[in-house]
Amino acid sequence: MKHSFYDVKAKKKVEAEVTQFVTYGEGNRQRFAFKAVTKDGRNLTAFVSKDVWEKAKKK
């Protein structure tokens, strides 16, 4: 699955293949994110809503 990420080094949005579905925090303070890697090996993280995260994880 592809998702849009903001590449801080390149200072632009890029499309990358999602490699992980991760959560941060506990209980009511939980955050949901997608992780990816750029072509040159840098990590990308995009925080998304719970609904988007759950729909993507089911695919």
Side-chain angles (χ1 to χ4, degrees), residues 14-35:
V14 295
E15 286 284 323
E17 192 69 30
V18 174
T19 57
Q20 291 181 336
F21 299 91
V22 294
T23 59
Y24 297 97
E26 297 177 0
N28 293 340
R29 297 182 58 131
Q30 205 167 28
R31 295 181 75 191
F32 301 89
F34 296 146
K35 290 220 169 232

Side-chain angles (χ1 to χ4, degrees), residues 2-58:
K2 290 212 178 241
H3 187 73
S4 178
F5 294 85
Y6 184 75
D7 188 344
V8 176
K9 186 174 182 181
K11 297 181 182 172
K12 63 180 181 178
K13 284 194 172 196
V14 295
E15 286 284 323
E17 192 69 30
V18 174
T19 57
Q20 291 181 336
F21 299 91
V22 294
T23 59
Y24 297 97
E26 297 177 0
N28 293 340
R29 297 182 58 131
Q30 205 167 28
R31 295 181 75 191
F32 301 89
F34 296 146
K35 290 220 169 232
V37 179
T38 61
K39 292 178 184 174
D40 59 348
R42 290 179 288 112
N43 294 320
L44 300 170
T45 303
F47 289 96
V48 296
S49 70
K50 183 177 181 179
D51 293 335
V52 171
W53 188 82
E54 287 177 345
K55 285 179 187 175
K57 192 158 183 173
K58 289 180 182 178

